């Protein structure tokens, strides 16, 4: 598999070697396999545009087209992704000028990940209230005719939207499982909590983090036509030709006015192949899925995103220990602890390119209280590469599929998320896999390039709020219309 360094394994005993090779075989994805996965991905994207209930939901965002670059003004936004609540006040000054932002982060207490809807929204409303109080002078001027400040709400979960100002949560993903939210409109629930606390704010746009990243990146650089977020979860967004989204008509009837326009699609591609026809799932993946907050869902995401990579690796270590290949005869209760290994552990391990592998040895000692022998260190180092390489290669399938869907051979992708930015070798490995899938000539430059997305959940949300208010022109948004 591209990107692997099997030479690390030189000198390890044969029994260890054959176990590593067996694991490697189950993690390897050849070029033909990558292509098959990408082809199926493309078909699934199309299917999601034509019908409800497809693995990849292809959610409508009601963001109708790219920003002009002239959007200006100050906007509040809330970014809710599951770990923190970030409240921002952003001053947009048009494409040519830098934006200015004031922001505060509030940690979402772990117990609120599985609380009730009321408690969750009260917490988020409280964060907004605190922010406005603290930055009172800056916020005051933003009130509209009704005395409220417009706010864009970035909610990074799959929702069904009939307009820019509503969204029914389809299902929780990642680590959240708050009761009473699935099947309900998150905008009305959050707005009710804000009203109850008398926080003078009106939600004017509901935004997914990928849609925010698409709009903010395109605002800065109009050549960016796809956005991708790979952090705790994995997802992507792009603009689709309105006429190709045939499922709209079955819901809303024909809409002549919008038919030659573009509609932002939040693909929710983390759900690719939930029906398990294509993904090369290993028994490690099956266990990670079973132990996850939402078994049976987001199967693709669980092979590529940050929340799960450490867990996959933990399952491998548990198996190796069970086979007596690492720390034989020693109890390792720490390996039974969910999430004891996170994606940053793997990234740090991968960054150790030394011969001695001292850093990875120290890492295992410090985080897992494991004293590895020199052979064990080599094995553990190599297995980290397997997990990271497979993730990057699978990730590339989604980008290749969207490029094909958009019928573009060259494209700039606005990429965001800790895995993308911080995970050692992730970007290079993805690009290499893209080259294999899309069959770029050997010596050619990269036809698809990744660019750091502008802050989508903050700046992107602010731009979307500006676009919404501009269209609204002081009135109210029509129920079906985007803007
Ligand atoms: C999960 C969410 C999706 C989000 C992604 C990245 O896949 O379902 O909405 O965009 O994580 O945060």
């Amino acid at each position: 598999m591209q990107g692997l360094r099997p030479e690390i394994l030189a000198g390890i005993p044969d029994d260890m070697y054959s176990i590593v090779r067996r694991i490697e075989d189950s993690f390897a994805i050849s070029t033909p396999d990558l292509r098959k996965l990408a082809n199926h991905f493309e078909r699934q994207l199309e299917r999601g545009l034509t019908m409800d209930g497809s693995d990849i939901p292809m959610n409508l965002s009601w963001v109708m087209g790219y920003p002009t670059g002239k959007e200006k003004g100050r906007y509040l936004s809330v970014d809710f992704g599951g770990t923190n609540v970030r409240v921002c006040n952003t001053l947009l000054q048009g494409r040519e000028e830098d934006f200015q932002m004031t922001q505060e982060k509030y940690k979402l207490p772990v117990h609120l990940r599985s609380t009730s809807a009321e408690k969750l929204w009260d917490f988020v409303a409280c964060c907004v209230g605190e922010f406005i109080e603290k930055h009172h002078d800056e916020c005051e001027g933003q009130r509209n005719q009704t005395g409220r400040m417009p706010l864009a709400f970035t909610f990074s979960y799959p929702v069904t939207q009939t307009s820019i100002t509503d969204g029914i949560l389809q299902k929780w993903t990642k680590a959240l499982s708050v009761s009473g939210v699935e099947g309900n409109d998150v905008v009305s629930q959050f707005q009710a909590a804000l009203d109850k606390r008398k926080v003078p704010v009106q939600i004017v746009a509901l935004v997914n983090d990928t849609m925010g990243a698409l709009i903010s990146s395109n605002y800065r650089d109009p050549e960016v036509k796809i956005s991708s977020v790979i952090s705790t979860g994995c997802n992507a967004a792009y603009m689709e030709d309105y006429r190709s989204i045939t499922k709209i008509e079955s819901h809303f009837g024909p809409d002549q006015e919008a038919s030659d326009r573009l509609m932002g699609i939040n693909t929710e591609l983390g759900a690719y192949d939930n029906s398990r026809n294509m993904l090369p799932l290993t028994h490690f993946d099956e266990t990670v899925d079973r132990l996850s907050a939402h078994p049976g869902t987001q199967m693709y995401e669980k092979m590529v995103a940050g929340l799960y990579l450490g867990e996959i690796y933990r399952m491998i270590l548990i198996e190796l220990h069970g086979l007596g290949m690492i720390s034989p005869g020693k109890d390792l209760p720490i390996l039974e602890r969910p999430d004891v290994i996170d994606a940053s552990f793997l990234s740090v391990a991968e960054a150790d390119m030394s011969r001695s592998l001292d850093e990875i040895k120290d890492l295992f000692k410090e985080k897992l209280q494991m004293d590895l022998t020199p052979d064990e260190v080599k094995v553990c180092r190599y297995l980290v590469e397997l997990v990271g390489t497979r993730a990057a290669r699978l990730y590339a399938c989604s980008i290749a599929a969207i490029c094909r869907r958009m019928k573009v051979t060259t494209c700039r992708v606005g990429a965001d998320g800790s895995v993308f930015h911080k995970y050692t070798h992730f970007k290079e490995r993805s690009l290499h896999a893209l080259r294999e899938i899309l069959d770029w000539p050997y010596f050619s430059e990269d036809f698809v390039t990744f660019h750091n997305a502008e802050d989508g959940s903050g700046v992107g949300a602010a731009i979307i709020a500006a676009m919404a208010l501009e269209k609204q022109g002081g009135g109210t948004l029509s129920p079906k219309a985007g803007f």
Side-chain angles (χ1 to χ4, degrees):
M1 193 159 43
Q2 186 276 329
L4 293 174
R5 297 188 307 137
E7 61 277 11
I8 293 178
L9 298 173
I12 67 167
D14 287 352
D15 54 348
M16 257 188 174
Y17 188 75
S18 62
I19 287 172
V20 174
R21 290 310 298 252
R22 179 171 53 75
I23 299 177
E24 178 174 350
D25 281 348
S26 66
F27 272 72
I29 309 179
S30 65
T31 307
D33 286 347
L34 279 180
R35 290 187 179 147
K36 275 188 215 142
L37 285 163
N39 288 344
H40 184 66
F41 223 122
E42 193 188 344
R43 288 195 295 275
Q44 290 297 306
L45 297 177
E46 181 167 0
R47 196 175 146 88
L49 294 172
T50 55
M51 59 184 287
D52 293 326
S54 175
D55 276 353
I56 304 183
M58 303 296 272
N59 289 335
L60 313 179
S61 69
W62 299 100
V63 176
M64 308 298 283
Y66 298 108
T68 59
K70 296 197 177 101
E71 291 77 6
K72 291 186 179 164
R74 257 187 196 286
Y75 303 93
L76 279 175
S77 57
V78 168
D79 173 12
F80 180 81
T83 319
N84 297 303
V85 175
R86 188 168 61 116
V87 186
C88 310
N89 194 3
T90 309
L91 174 64
L92 301 172
Q93 312 192 88
R95 179 170 285 150
E96 310 307 330
E97 300 281 326
D98 271 347
F99 62 85
Q100 287 169 20
M101 183 189 276
T102 311
Q103 56 174 316
E104 300 283 345
K105 249 189 198 176
Y106 307 85
K107 182 132 194 63
L108 182 75
V110 173
H111 73 272
L112 288 186
R113 288 185 188 168
S114 52
T115 183
S116 63
E118 215 179 27
K119 288 196 180 123
L120 174 73
W121 298 124
D122 184 56
F123 177 80
V124 187
C126 181
C127 298
V128 181
E130 254 185 62
F131 180 92
I132 293 176
E133 225 171 80
K134 182 162 176 194
H135 302 281
H136 180 265
D137 294 348
E138 197 180 291
C139 296
E140 258 323 285
Q142 288 163 243
R143 290 180 188 260
N144 62 16
Q145 309 91 311
T146 63
R148 291 167 180 233
M149 304 167 200
L151 174 139
F153 179 29
T154 306
F155 182 69
S156 304
Y157 296 91
V159 290
T160 304
Q161 294 190 254
T162 60
S163 77
I164 189 74
T165 50
D166 65 55
I168 293 179
L169 176 63
Q170 294 164 344
K171 57 183 169 52
W172 286 118
T173 55
K174 301 180 275 194
L176 250 75
S177 50
V178 174
S179 62
V181 190
E182 287 181 342
N184 290 286
D185 178 11
V186 295
V187 175
S188 337
Q189 289 193 340
F190 181 27
Q191 185 69 61
L194 289 161
D195 294 349
K196 197 164 167 205
R197 278 196 171 263
K198 302 205 169 16
V199 182
V201 149
Q202 184 184 0
I203 304 168
V204 296
L206 179 66
V207 179
N208 183 263
D209 54 354
T210 52
M211 191 50 58
L214 178 64
I215 296 301
S216 58
S217 301
N218 178 277
Y219 182 75
R220 179 67 66 216
D221 170 3
E223 294 302 314
V224 173
K225 298 283 161 67
I226 297 174
S227 68
S228 157
V229 173
I230 172 154
S231 50
T232 316
C234 173
N235 192 11
Y238 72 105
M239 286 286 162
E240 182 58 77
D241 178 359
Y242 192 94
R243 281 165 303 195
S244 303
I245 316 170
T246 49
K247 66 180 177 184
I248 296 185
E249 203 167 311
S250 60
H251 289 287
F252 304 106
D255 183 338
Q256 297 311 323
E257 197 199 335
S259 60
D260 58 349
R261 301 176 67 190
L262 295 170
M263 159 88 86
I265 297 289
N266 161 24
T267 62
E268 288 294 335
L269 55 72
Y272 168 61
D273 203 35
N274 275 348
S275 21
R276 296 161 181 255
N277 294 317
M278 292 297 288
L279 285 169
L281 293 161
T282 64
H283 63 281
F284 304 113
D285 299 303
E286 299 285 1
T287 312
V288 169
D289 175 46
R290 192 163 39 77
L291 299 179
S292 69
H294 308 287
T297 66
Q298 305 292 103
M299 294 312 294
Y300 172 76
E301 179 162 275
K302 285 173 186 163
M303 297 172 90
V304 301
L307 184 59
Y308 308 100
L309 296 182
E311 282 293 270
I312 298 171
Y313 190 66
R314 185 170 73 87
M315 296 309 143
I316 299 178
L317 291 187
I318 289 176
E319 179 161 308
L320 286 185
H321 180 241
L323 292 169
M325 291 295 141
I326 49 169
S327 307
K330 287 189 198 130
D331 272 353
L332 291 176
I334 195 160
L335 287 184
E336 300 303 325
R337 207 186 293 163
D339 301 321
V340 65
I341 302 175
D342 60 10
S344 72
F345 178 104
L346 303 189
S347 177
V348 170
E350 283 235 30
D352 184 355
M353 302 294 276
S354 68
R355 236 167 204 290
S356 61
L357 299 176
D358 280 344
E359 271 176 50
I360 174 166
K361 200 168 165 14
D362 292 348
L363 185 70
F364 270 74
K365 179 104 190 98
E366 187 198 326
K367 301 272 183 199
L368 303 176
Q369 286 97 57
M370 286 170 72
D371 251 324
L372 298 181
T373 66
D375 285 339
E376 290 171 357
V377 182
K378 290 179 186 171
V379 168
C380 290
R381 171 70 178 77
Y382 190 65
L383 294 170
V384 168
E385 282 186 26
L386 288 184
V387 175
T389 304
R390 186 187 69 162
R393 289 171 75 74
L394 283 174
Y395 167 77
C397 295
S398 64
I399 302 297
I402 299 177
C403 288
R404 289 219 183 107
R405 167 82 218 146
M406 295 175 77
K407 300 194 172 42
V408 292
T409 46
T410 62
C411 185
R412 291 162 85 89
V413 178
D416 205 355
S418 51
V419 171
F420 194 85
H421 291 310
K422 297 195 189 140
Y423 199 103
T424 317
H425 307 312
F426 192 89
K427 182 173 165 183
E428 305 93 86
R429 286 174 181 157
S430 316
L431 276 168
H432 197 285
L434 269 172
R435 177 170 287 275
E436 292 171 56
I437 301 168
L438 299 172
D439 205 11
W440 297 336
Y442 195 71
F443 286 113
S444 78
E445 60 196 26
D446 295 333
F447 292 157
V448 175
T449 50
F450 290 104
H451 303 266
N452 293 353
E454 289 284 351
D455 170 4
S457 333
V459 179
I463 301 167
I464 293 173
M467 290 164 81
L469 292 172
E470 162 81 18
K471 177 73 184 179
Q472 192 181 350
T476 44
L477 288 167
S478 73
K480 193 190 120 187
F483 47 81

